[in-house]
């Protein structure tokens, strides 16, 4: 950790010195995020964050950018006296090395730009939920912050020819998605089901990451974009891996004759190919967009080991499936802004049988010269079985007020109200209604 | 008597002819006005915007604006910190794009947003596009004062604007627009735009100060030109989605 601080210190000195000499800047923000469950007043999130952004360019030929985040969490992890002697246990914190990349403009060719380094690559025209954006893994740490992506170390080359843009990406190493934690840990996973009479004592799992070599961990993607009939259009292809783990082996070890078992699971990241297409434009004054991702997964076999007996089945079929989003936005004459999207297949859903339908919506209105923004109605609804939708639905409502008292200062308060029936993401969290308070100052 | 009538008629014809020759049509005035404002082949301007609310509270934004001809304009925010890097591109055929660094995406601006306020200012996205009033409005000459033409502008058939009409004051000596009143759909005065400190930079007339006031909100946005470079041969590549997300 000392080494990390030293590196940051050196970076700061270098950037500070450079600042005076060239077009360099150091910006950042301070952020606090606090959440509380409404039913028992327990705090679920208490985070303070300092983000620093370094940016600069000595010439028109290149540009560099880096962002680091220092985050402190207010929940001590203390279980014994010795823990009280460590500040990192009392006040947990981490350092996130987010983006760090170099842009090379007109690199070798007049119309070629290259970006090398740790970066976020967002493809797709939809808001936050992008089935065609598969290069960067999902960052689902905050499960309500849909669409947040983690960075990947990669090379992105973009070539411009007339009205066409050709992009190619190579990611040498595999980075898995960040999963939800704490009370949200089970939000994206189905509960384990056991035959009648079987009781779980302990469960464990093992993640098997792909070997970090060219044929196993590499990902590549290509995209061609253009404008046709006043619509922005693109088609893309991705070859890589699903960034969420899939269970391919379960070992069930009987402990006693009463049916008590220990379960050990093994999980892998299946290979997949995605052919994508997206569009954005206007239709009768309404902004519209859409994207579709035709996913072709590799078949994954499932092994269930119970004693000496091994049962084989299919964990993931190689049948292609299609996730898609259709969305639109409109500003009414009274200033109310509406943004809505219909989504077939959320980030964690795979295979034709598992794709569910979601509708996201957000009404917002700004007041006092944009100093106050109120979202009286925002959220998402999901239906997992249209034949019995009364017992298979879920929703999250997210009313929110944002106040900008001064330049660079943002104060947000709101709530997540969840409900539902059946087995779905929102109904699994229905006891977790919470209120939040966030503040951010940029500098 | 007949001679007198002929003389009066001739005199009237001469007077009318003289007036006609001296006063250009409303359409010509508007075209000339657009031409004067967009006269430089290209412009690179550093701007400081001061937003003032009805309580006198002020907010400051700094930005850089690039313009080529009368159809291509790129605006990039330099401050405040939470808006740094936000960039806006206006292209021919009413095509507009916005780059929001936080989202890592260039987004096409839908037509319903074009009449929204641009980044909390009193200018709409549409107002921030390069001004081409003659293309979008039909003009009528309301009045000619000693040194100004006063025009009324009505959106042309098929052109959607959030203003029902405009009233424009144009200088006679150089056709520079000094004041524009914007009326809402109920024909109530909504916004007032004023150009000040109009001086010659080389062969071009430039207003180094402009202010848009929203009379309903009692909120104003004053733009001060801090640096200006004209006819530096800006490349078309500046006005591309490629450049929109670039820092330099």
């Amino acid at each position: 950790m000392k080494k990390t601080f030293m590196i940051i210190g050196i970076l700061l000195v270098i950037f500070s010195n450079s600042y005076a000499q060239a077009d360099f800047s150091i910006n950042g923000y301070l952020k606090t995020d606090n959440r509380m469950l409404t039913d028992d007043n327990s705090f679920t999130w208490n985070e303070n964050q300092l983000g620093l952004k370094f940016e600069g360019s000595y010439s028109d030929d290149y540009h560099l950018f880096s962002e680091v985040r220092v985050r402190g969490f207010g929940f001590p992890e203390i279980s014994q006296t010795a823990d009280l002697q460590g500040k990192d246990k009392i006040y947990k914190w981490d350092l996130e090395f987010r983006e760090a990349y170099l842009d090379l403009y007109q690199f070798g060719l007049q119309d070629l730009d290259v970006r090398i380094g740790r970066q976020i690559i967002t493809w797709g025209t939809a808001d936050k939920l992008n089935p065609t954006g598969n290069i960067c893994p999902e960052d689902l740490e905050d499960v309500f912050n849909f669409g947040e992506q983690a960075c990947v170390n990669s090379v992105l080359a973009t070539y411009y020819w007339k009205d066409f843009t050709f992009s190619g990406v190579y990611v040498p190493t595999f980075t898995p998605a960040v999963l939800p934690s704490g009370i949200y840990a089970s939000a994206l996973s189905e509960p384990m089901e056991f035959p009648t009479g079987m009781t779980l004592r302990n469960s464990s799992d093992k993640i098997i990451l792909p070997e970090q070599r060219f044929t196993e961990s590499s990902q590549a993607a290509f995209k061609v974009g253009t404008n046709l009939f006043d619509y922005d259009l693109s088609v893309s292809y991705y070859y890589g891996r699903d960034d969420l783990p899939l269970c391919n082996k379960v070992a069930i070890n009987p402990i006693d004759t009463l049916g008590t078992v220990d379960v050990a699971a093994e999980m892998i990241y299946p290979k997949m190919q995605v052919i994508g297409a997206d569009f954005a434009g206007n239709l009768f004054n309404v902004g519209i967009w859409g994207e579709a991702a035709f996913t072709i997964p590799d078949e994954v076999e499932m092994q269930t080991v119970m004693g000496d007996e091994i049962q084989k089945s299919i964990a993931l079929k190689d049948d292609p499936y299609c996730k898609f989003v259709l969305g639109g936005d409109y500003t009414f004459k009274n200033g109310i802004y509406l943004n809505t999207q219909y989504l077939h297949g959320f980030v964690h859903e795979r295979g034709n049988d598992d794709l569910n339908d979601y509708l996201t919506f957000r009404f917002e209105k700004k007041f006092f010269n944009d100093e106050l923004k109120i979202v009286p109605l925002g959220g998402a609804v999901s239906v997992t079985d249209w034949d019995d939708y009364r017992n298979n639905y879920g929703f999250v409502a997210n009313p929110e007020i944002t106040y900008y008292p001064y330049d660079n200062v943002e104060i947000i308060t709101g709530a997540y109200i969840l409900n539902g029936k059946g087995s779905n993401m929102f109904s699994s969290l229905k006891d977790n209604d919470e209120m939040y308070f966030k503040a951010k100052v940029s500098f | 008597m007949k001679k007198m009538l002929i003389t009066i008629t001739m005199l009237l014809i001469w007077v009318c002819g003289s007036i006609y020759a001296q006063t250009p049509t409303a359409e010509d005035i508007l075209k000339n006005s657009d031409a004067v404002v967009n006269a430089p082949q290209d412009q690179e301007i550093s701007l400081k915007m001061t937003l003032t609310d009805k309580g006198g509270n002020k907010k400051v934004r700094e930005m850089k604006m690039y313009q080529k001809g009368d159809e291509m304009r790129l605006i990039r925010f330099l401050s405040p910190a939470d808006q740094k890097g936000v960039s806006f591109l206006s292209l021919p055929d009413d095509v507009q794009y916005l780059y929001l660094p936080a989202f890592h995406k260039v987004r096409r601006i839908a037509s319903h947003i074009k009449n929204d306020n641009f980044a909390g200012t009193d200018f709409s996205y549409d107002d921030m596009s390069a001004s081409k009033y003659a293309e979008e409005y039909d003009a009528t000459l309301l009045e000619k004062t000693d040194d100004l033409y006063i025009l009324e502008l009505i959106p042309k058939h098929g052109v959607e604007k959030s203003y029902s009409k405009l009233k424009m004051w144009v200088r006679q000596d150089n056709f520079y627009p000094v004041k524009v009143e914007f009326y809402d759909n109920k024909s109530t005065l909504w916004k007032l735009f004023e150009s000040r400190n109009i001086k010659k930079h080389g062969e071009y007339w430039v207003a180094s100060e402009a202010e848009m006031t929203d009379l309903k909100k009692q909120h104003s946005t004053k733009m001060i030109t801090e640096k200006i470079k004209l006819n530096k041969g800006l490349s078309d590549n500046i006005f591309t989605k490629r450049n929109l997300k670039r820092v330099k």
Side-chain angles (χ1 to χ4, degrees):
Chain A
M1 195 56 77
K2 274 182 185 170
K3 202 174 167 186
T4 313
F5 274 119
M6 219 165 79
I7 292 167
I8 292 177
I10 292 167
L11 275 172
L12 278 169
V13 170
I14 291 169
F15 279 104
S16 307
N17 288 336
S18 306
Y19 187 78
Q21 297 165 18
D23 190 4
F24 267 86
S25 65
I26 301 174
N27 289 90
Y29 54 85
L30 279 170
K31 210 158 85 171
T32 181
D33 186 343
N34 305 276
R35 304 179 197 178
M36 185 180 79
L37 290 181
T38 53
D39 62 348
D40 65 358
N41 300 332
S42 58
F43 293 106
T44 56
W45 201 281
N46 183 283
E47 179 189 351
N48 289 296
Q49 191 180 123
L50 165 68
L52 290 174
K53 296 175 185 178
F54 308 94
E55 184 160 36
S57 44
Y58 279 108
S59 75
D60 286 349
D61 300 327
Y62 69 92
H63 159 249
L64 61 92
F65 177 83
S66 184
E67 181 184 350
V68 289
R69 292 175 178 174
V70 183
R71 308 191 306 162
F73 299 91
F75 302 123
E77 284 189 344
I78 304 293
S79 57
Q80 53 189 337
T81 321
D83 293 339
L84 295 170
Q85 295 165 359
K87 275 190 178 175
D88 57 335
K89 296 264 186 187
I90 294 170
Y91 189 67
K92 216 176 102 187
W93 69 280
D94 67 34
L95 180 69
E96 185 182 350
F97 184 50
R98 209 160 155 75
E99 288 183 278
Y101 59 77
L102 169 67
D103 281 318
L104 298 168
Y105 301 129
Q106 300 174 2
F107 186 62
L109 297 167
Q110 181 74 19
D111 297 313
L112 180 68
D113 293 343
V114 176
R115 178 172 287 182
I116 307 166
R118 194 166 173 74
Q119 56 186 299
I120 292 174
I121 300 167
T122 52
W123 283 0
T125 48
D127 265 0
K128 291 191 166 190
L129 301 162
N130 300 108
T132 61
N134 293 290
I135 301 160
C136 291
E138 306 291 333
D139 184 348
L140 299 163
E141 181 190 47
D142 175 4
V143 74
F144 293 114
N145 192 9
F146 303 141
E148 182 79 357
Q149 290 188 304
C151 304
V152 285
N153 300 334
S154 56
V155 181
L156 165 67
T158 311
Y159 184 75
Y160 300 88
W161 179 70
K162 295 184 177 174
D163 281 342
F164 290 88
T165 304
F166 301 87
S167 305
V169 184
Y170 175 65
V171 186
T173 57
F174 176 74
T175 308
V178 181
L179 298 180
S181 59
I183 59 169
Y184 308 107
S186 60
L188 303 179
S189 55
E190 296 282 328
M192 255 192 240
E193 285 178 11
F194 293 96
T196 315
M198 198 178 275
T199 316
L200 177 70
R201 188 185 68 167
N202 291 318
S203 70
S204 62
D205 63 58
K206 182 181 174 188
I207 295 280
I208 299 178
L209 284 173
E211 286 178 58
Q212 300 289 15
R213 59 191 170 94
F214 182 74
T215 51
E216 287 302 310
S217 62
S218 290
Q219 300 162 77
F222 305 94
K223 188 171 87 159
V224 182
T226 190
N227 186 280
L228 210 58
F229 306 118
D230 234 10
Y231 280 82
D232 290 339
L233 306 168
S234 78
V235 288
S236 59
Y237 171 77
Y238 166 82
Y239 175 82
R241 286 180 183 270
D242 196 327
D243 55 27
L244 290 164
L246 175 75
C247 182
N248 72 326
K249 191 174 177 184
V250 176
I252 303 171
N253 298 313
I255 301 302
D256 54 32
T257 53
L258 300 171
T260 312
V261 294
D262 282 348
V263 172
E266 213 170 84
M267 304 179 106
I268 58 161
Y269 292 88
K271 281 188 175 175
M272 65 177 191
Q273 300 172 72
V274 182
I275 298 163
D278 63 47
F279 74 92
N282 278 305
L283 188 67
F284 306 118
N285 242 0
V286 177
I288 57 166
W289 57 83
E291 55 181 281
F294 188 73
T295 307
I296 309 157
D298 274 12
E299 186 176 280
V300 177
E301 191 180 73
M302 176 77 175
Q303 279 190 9
T304 307
V305 182
M306 199 164 175
D308 294 335
E309 191 185 334
I310 299 175
Q311 286 178 7
K312 289 188 178 176
S313 57
I314 302 294
L316 181 66
K317 291 179 190 167
D318 58 2
D319 295 343
Y321 58 91
C322 185
K323 292 184 178 183
F324 62 86
V325 181
L326 283 172
D329 67 349
Y330 186 71
T331 307
F332 295 92
K333 286 193 172 159
N334 57 10
I336 292 176
Y337 171 76
L338 167 65
N339 181 313
T340 184
Q341 298 191 119
Y342 167 69
L343 170 75
H344 182 64
F346 202 68
V347 289
H348 65 299
E349 294 169 351
R350 302 182 180 102
N352 282 313
D353 299 335
D354 288 335
L355 303 185
N356 292 311
D357 297 309
Y358 299 83
L359 181 74
T360 66
F361 50 90
R362 187 175 170 90
F363 286 88
E364 66 178 50
K365 169 105 170 120
K366 291 176 179 171
F367 299 90
F368 311 122
N369 306 305
D370 298 355
E371 281 183 11
L372 183 69
K373 184 170 76 183
I374 296 180
V375 181
L377 192 59
V381 178
S382 80
V383 175
T384 45
D385 182 359
W386 284 101
D387 294 331
D388 185 17
Y389 62 88
R390 286 171 193 274
N391 292 307
N392 293 284
Y393 72 92
F395 74 79
V396 54
N398 178 210
E400 190 178 81
I401 297 171
T402 307
Y403 178 45
Y404 305 92
Y406 317 106
D407 271 346
N408 298 318
V409 178
E410 186 180 335
I411 296 166
I412 305 173
T413 184
Y416 297 116
I417 301 155
L418 298 126
N419 209 337
K421 276 186 178 175
S423 173
N424 63 69
M425 183 171 61
F426 300 129
S427 67
S428 70
L429 297 171
K430 68 180 177 185
D431 296 327
N432 296 343
D433 290 353
E434 59 181 25
M435 297 185 298
Y436 57 82
F437 171 81
K438 301 175 186 180
K440 182 179 175 185
V441 56
S442 304
F443 56 86
Chain B
M1 183 66 180
K2 201 175 181 180
K3 268 186 183 176
M4 201 173 153
L5 270 173
I6 289 167
T7 311
I8 290 168
T9 307
M10 293 299 286
L11 199 66
L12 276 171
I13 289 169
W14 179 77
V15 168
C16 290
S18 302
I19 290 168
Y20 184 79
Q22 284 173 10
T23 307
T25 64
E27 195 184 344
D28 285 340
I29 296 168
L30 195 58
K31 277 183 182 166
N32 285 336
S33 171
D34 282 353
V36 167
V37 173
N38 299 313
Q41 286 169 13
D42 57 64
Q43 308 176 42
E44 185 182 331
I45 304 173
S46 297
L47 288 167
K48 189 174 179 178
M49 267 187 176
T50 306
L51 284 60
T52 309
D53 69 14
K54 61 180 173 186
N57 302 307
K58 291 184 190 302
K59 289 180 176 176
V60 176
R61 275 125 184 70
E62 288 174 303
M63 58 188 73
K64 204 153 189 182
M65 186 177 91
Y66 302 85
Q67 182 172 329
K68 190 163 184 179
D70 62 357
E71 291 199 306
M72 297 194 289
R73 183 179 275 187
L74 186 138
I75 296 169
R76 180 166 285 143
F77 277 85
L78 307 175
S79 75
D82 61 354
Q83 290 187 20
K84 188 184 173 191
V86 171
S87 305
F88 167 73
L89 174 66
S90 165
L91 295 172
D93 301 323
D94 225 12
V95 174
Q96 297 173 350
Y97 291 96
L98 187 68
Y99 174 63
L100 300 169
F103 294 96
H104 297 84
K105 268 186 188 177
V106 172
R107 285 212 65 169
R108 178 89 176 257
I109 296 178
S111 51
H112 64 90
I113 294 173
K114 289 176 184 172
N115 296 319
D116 278 12
N117 285 353
F118 175 70
T121 69
D122 295 284
F123 295 92
S124 66
Y125 283 92
D126 203 28
D127 297 333
M128 291 306 288
S129 300
S131 60
K132 297 172 292 173
Y133 290 108
E135 268 186 26
E136 297 175 332
Y137 290 90
D138 288 322
T140 310
L141 180 60
L142 293 180
E143 197 183 332
K144 184 184 170 193
T145 66
D146 288 346
D147 50 3
L148 294 166
Y149 298 116
I150 305 173
L151 304 177
E152 183 181 74
L153 312 185
I154 307 286
K156 284 187 172 169
H157 183 69
V159 175
E160 265 193 49
K161 292 280 171 190
S162 51
Y163 311 119
S164 63
K165 71 170 181 183
L166 273 57
K167 206 168 164 186
M168 180 183 276
W169 282 254
V170 179
R171 265 170 60 166
Q172 285 185 26
D173 60 342
N174 60 6
F175 289 100
Y176 207 96
V178 290
K179 189 166 109 175
V180 185
E181 289 178 349
F182 298 81
Y183 290 80
D184 66 12
N185 288 330
K186 292 173 186 164
S187 293
T188 307
L189 182 57
W190 176 10
K191 291 182 189 175
L192 174 66
F193 177 80
E194 290 171 289
S195 301
R196 301 184 197 114
N197 204 6
I198 300 161
K199 286 180 183 166
K200 267 209 151 180
H201 276 254
E203 55 186 302
Y204 304 107
W205 290 97
V206 175
S208 56
E209 189 180 313
E211 186 166 9
M212 180 72 102
T213 306
D214 187 321
L215 300 164
K216 290 182 188 174
K217 292 182 181 172
Q218 297 178 51
H219 188 273
S220 68
T221 304
K222 187 187 277 187
M223 281 201 294
I224 307 251
T225 301
E226 298 203 311
K227 275 184 201 167
I228 185 162
K229 293 178 191 171
L230 302 174
N231 290 357
K232 293 292 176 188
L234 294 182
S235 160
D236 282 355
N237 291 337
I238 288 175
F239 307 94
T240 56
K241 283 160 68 180
R242 176 188 188 182
N243 184 53
L244 192 60
K245 51 187 176 182
R246 268 194 196 183
V247 168
K248 286 198 78 169

